[in-house]
């Protein structure tokens, strides 16, 4: 019984690993159950047993990827919240925005994940609820609460809009970074990411009505 349980656990992990690579590389529709089972060394029955069907497997894959991002962002926000002396608003915004431009978020794998997230926010979503419940809602709530803590008296509605605005700006610059970089001179390429972080930070401070901006 114990050996069978371990085998089932390994099979489930192998399916998730293979499905993650294939879904990110090719998209939901272009990947078949047969491709996943061949890559993982399993069979169709194992997919049905562990995940019910391809959509169930896709949900598990996406939930895991989104949860990884959420844990990372919540850990950063918690660290800023517990910082002594207390982090100032500009420091909070800069650290949060910078976290999206770390080297590991600007790689082919992260680009594929970003494309998947974009899709799941649009009309062709396969599991549209996951991006909201597993990613946007928990991160935005924690980010907004930290902004309000750093800015006593700030209107909550204004803070909520600013959080959404920051997310939109970050996603735009990440998705369009190669095009935008091509519009700048070679001399500006070296500071391109830093300039983006500074711009979004200062723009957002102004939007919040903060006196902390330069």
């Amino acid at each position: 019984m114990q050996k069978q349980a371990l085998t089932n656990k390994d099979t489930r992990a192998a399916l998730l690993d293979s499905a993650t690579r294939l879904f990110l590389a090719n998209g939901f529709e272009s990947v078949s159950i047969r491709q996943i089972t061949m890559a993982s060394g399993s069979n169709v029955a194992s997919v049905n047993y562990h995940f019910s069907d391809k959509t169930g497997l896709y949900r598990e894959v996406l939930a895991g990827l989104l949860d990884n991002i959420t844990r990372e962002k919540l850990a950063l926000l918690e660290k800023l919240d517990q910082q002594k002396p207390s982090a100032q608003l500009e420091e909070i915004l800069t650290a949060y925005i910078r976290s999206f431009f770390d080297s590991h978020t600007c790689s082919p794998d992260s680009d594929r994940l970003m494309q998947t997230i974009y899709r799941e926010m649009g009309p062709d979503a396969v599991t549209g609820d996951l991006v909201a419940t597993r990613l946007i809602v928990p991160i935005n709530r924690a980010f907004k609460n930290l902004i309000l803590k750093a800015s006593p008296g700030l209107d909550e509605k204004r803070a909520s809009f600013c959080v959404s605005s920051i997310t939109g700006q970050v996603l735009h610059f990440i998705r369009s970074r190669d095009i935008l970089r091509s519009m700048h001179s070679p001399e500006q390429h070296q500071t391109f990411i830093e300039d983006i972080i500074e711009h979004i930070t200062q723009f957002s401070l102004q939007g919040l009505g903060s006196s902390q901006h330069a």
Side-chain angles (χ1 to χ4, degrees):
M1 181 68 71
Q2 185 175 3
K3 183 177 180 181
Q4 182 63 37
L6 181 61
T7 300
N8 285 338
K9 182 178 179 181
D10 291 344
T11 299
R12 190 177 193 280
L15 284 167
L16 284 171
D17 180 66
S18 297
T20 297
R21 288 186 285 103
L22 289 169
F23 282 140
L24 286 181
N26 304 294
F28 177 77
E29 284 86 0
S30 298
V31 176
S32 68
I33 290 293
R34 180 175 175 79
Q35 288 174 307
I36 295 171
T37 55
M38 288 183 63
S40 62
S42 56
N43 53 50
V44 175
S46 63
V47 175
N48 296 333
Y49 175 78
H50 290 287
F51 307 102
S52 296
D53 54 20
K54 189 174 91 166
T55 299
L57 175 54
Y58 182 73
R59 285 186 67 87
E60 286 284 330
V61 166
L62 188 58
L65 294 170
L66 296 176
D67 287 348
N68 287 340
I69 299 173
T70 298
R71 280 193 295 269
E72 178 185 283
K73 292 295 179 280
L74 293 182
L76 169 64
L77 294 171
E78 182 178 4
K79 181 179 179 180
L80 289 166
D81 186 30
Q82 296 176 352
Q83 183 174 305
K84 299 297 180 183
S86 298
Q88 297 297 301
L89 180 57
E90 182 169 355
E91 181 181 0
I92 292 169
L93 297 185
T94 300
Y96 179 75
I97 294 164
R98 185 182 300 282
S99 71
F100 287 92
F101 292 93
D102 288 342
S103 58
H104 68 277
T105 63
C106 293
S107 66
D109 285 344
S110 64
D111 283 345
R112 294 187 188 102
L113 175 54
M114 192 66 67
Q115 291 301 323
T116 300
I117 293 174
Y118 286 136
R119 175 220 166 98
E120 294 303 318
M121 295 171 66
D124 297 325
V126 178
T127 59
D129 61 302
L130 287 182
V131 173
T133 60
R134 307 297 279 263
L135 184 73
I136 295 176
V137 171
I139 293 176
N140 282 13
R141 183 190 300 119
F143 189 30
K144 182 190 72 174
N145 289 340
L146 187 55
I147 288 175
L148 290 171
K149 182 178 179 181
S151 303
L154 180 67
D155 178 74
E156 184 170 351
K157 182 178 180 181
R158 192 170 195 172
S160 295
F161 275 117
C162 190
V163 166
S164 296
S165 172
I166 289 172
T167 302
Q169 291 178 77
V170 166
L171 294 179
H172 165 71
F173 278 110
I174 289 177
R175 190 176 191 183
S176 308
R177 66 182 182 275
D178 291 335
I179 294 175
L180 294 172
R181 185 182 280 113
S182 70
M183 297 167 60
H184 291 73
S185 65
E187 293 77 16
Q188 294 174 307
H189 288 181
Q190 294 182 344
T191 62
F192 182 69
I193 297 300
E194 289 300 323
D195 291 343
I196 289 174
I197 294 169
E198 176 70 8
H199 166 75
I200 298 175
T201 298
Q202 296 303 324
F203 185 86
S204 301
L205 283 170
Q206 298 244 13
L208 287 166
S210 172
S211 59
Q212 294 184 28
H213 61 78

